[in-house]
Amino acid sequence: MGSKTKNRLVDALYLALAIVPFLLAMTLKVLTAPATEGVSITGAMIFFTVDMPIQAWPVTEAQVNSLAVMLSMLGLCLYLTHGLQVVPGSKRQLIAEWIVDKVTSLVQNSMGERFMGFVPFIAAILGLSALSSLSSLLGLFPPTSDLNIVAGWAILVFILITYYKLQGGLWPYVKGFFTPVPLFAPMNVLGEVATPVSMSFRHYGNVLSGVIISALVGTALKGLSNMLLGWLPGVLGQFPFLQIGLPAILSLYFDIFSGCMQAFIFAMLTMLNIALGFPEEDYERRQAKKRQKASLQKA
């Protein structure tokens, strides 16, 4: 087997990894979705539950679709980065370099040089959030319209925010809750806890509202079409003519523009909360004390 044939086979496997998870999720949706009439706005469907020590763990449609998105992202990343060369020789390498360049510039402008290690993390957030929202174009339940999924992301970000706030020391972090006066301590604690809550509800609410509005408008247009054009003979009287056009325009906004915008906002909030929460002066002071202590020990 020649090298070109081998590379093409590997590329085909990576593309299959990027496409097959969505095909399997769509097949599972078709096989398990219950028959509905009229407007049906429900949460993620529960496939089965697993008994756990504390409580049962429901395996939902949102979790399965989220796994499909992650596997698809893995396949896409492997495909774009396969066979990289010093001088770009393919369009996919140019696309990969363009993505890396844009995310690197975004992190550098938003967080500064100190946090350049966050480039892969921010790229993962952008890709995971955007693809999760765009999965609704395939008829799948978008994981971003499930609060449990988005809250999990927000909790992870909150742990990172807290970690970097503690880089200045435990006492400066605790003391910050009592500034400007100790009376504000309860409000400061609530403000700290409100960060992951607001991030998750903002993302979840915007995506879910788009799904609901699109479903309601589409159903209303179908009913209006039957009312106004139901007198037409045969199949023409039952065809929803008024559903042509407007639902597609709404899909362009809610599924594509709004979904990508919410991914960008979530990533921006992640970067700003981490960078602004980092105590630069306390961290440098702490590092200077450590260096001084280490030099004294050597002496």
Side-chain angles (χ1 to χ4, degrees):
M1 182 182 295
S3 59
K4 290 186 178 180
T5 304
K6 184 178 180 180
N7 288 334
R8 289 177 180 175
L9 179 60
V10 173
D11 288 340
L13 291 175
Y14 290 155
L15 283 176
L17 181 59
I19 298 173
V20 169
F22 282 123
L23 295 178
L24 293 177
M26 293 166 63
T27 303
L28 186 63
K29 173 81 172 183
V30 173
L31 295 177
T32 58
T36 58
E37 295 183 2
V39 182
S40 178
I41 301 174
T42 60
M45 182 168 48
I46 299 176
F47 293 121
F48 58 90
T49 58
V50 179
D51 292 332
M52 302 295 286
I54 299 178
Q55 66 176 28
W57 169 34
V59 177
T60 67
E61 188 178 8
Q63 296 169 2
V64 173
N65 292 346
S66 182
L67 178 61
V69 171
M70 288 188 287
L71 291 175
S72 179
M73 283 184 59
L74 174 61
L76 184 61
C77 290
L78 291 174
Y79 173 75
L80 291 176
T81 57
H82 179 236
L84 294 180
Q85 300 176 356
V86 177
V87 178
S90 61
K91 292 183 180 180
R92 62 179 175 181
Q93 182 171 345
L94 293 175
I95 294 174
E97 292 184 358
W98 179 82
I99 293 173
V100 172
D101 181 66
K102 292 301 179 182
V103 178
T104 301
S105 177
L106 180 64
V107 173
Q108 185 176 19
N109 294 332
S110 302
M111 304 182 75
E113 293 292 338
R114 183 185 294 275
F115 297 95
M116 293 307 297
F118 271 86
V119 171
F121 182 73
I122 297 302
I125 287 180
L126 287 169
L128 182 59
S129 178
L131 285 180
S132 295
S133 298
L134 293 175
S135 64
S136 62
L137 295 174
L138 302 176
L140 299 174
F141 181 88
T144 44
S145 62
D146 189 326
L147 182 59
N148 298 292
I149 299 294
V150 185
W153 302 350
I155 291 173
L156 175 60
V157 171
F158 178 69
I159 293 173
L160 287 173
I161 294 171
T162 305
Y163 170 78
Y164 279 94
K165 284 185 176 181
L166 288 170
Q167 292 303 296
L170 180 60
W171 173 241
Y173 174 74
V174 175
K175 188 172 64 174
F177 290 109
F178 298 92
T179 55
V181 292
L183 185 63
F184 285 0
M187 298 177 61
N188 290 332
V189 172
L190 287 176
E192 192 81 0
V193 177
T195 299
V197 175
S198 63
M199 290 182 67
S200 57
F201 272 94
R202 178 185 290 107
H203 199 327
Y204 155 77
N206 280 281
V207 175
L208 180 63
S209 63
V211 173
I212 294 175
I213 291 173
S214 297
L216 292 176
V217 171
T219 304
L221 289 175
K222 180 179 180 181
L224 184 61
S225 179
N226 291 335
M227 185 183 353
L228 297 179
L229 304 175
W231 54 271
L232 294 175
V235 180
L236 294 177
Q238 299 181 3
F239 188 83
F241 286 99
L242 297 184
Q243 278 189 324
I244 301 175
L246 184 56
I249 296 174
L250 290 177
S251 178
L252 288 175
Y253 175 78
F254 289 117
D255 295 333
I256 300 178
F257 176 76
S258 181
C260 295
M261 179 60 68
Q262 292 307 315
F264 177 76
I265 292 174
F266 191 90
M268 285 298 300
L269 289 174
T270 298
M271 292 186 289
L272 294 177
N273 283 324
I274 292 175
L276 295 177
F278 180 70
E280 186 80 28
E281 295 181 0
D282 291 333
Y283 175 77
E284 294 297 339
R285 190 182 302 113
R286 191 182 182 191
Q287 293 301 112
K289 289 182 179 179
K290 286 184 179 180
R291 288 192 296 266
Q292 184 179 5
K293 185 178 179 181
S295 61
L296 291 175
Q297 289 177 350
K298 289 181 180 180

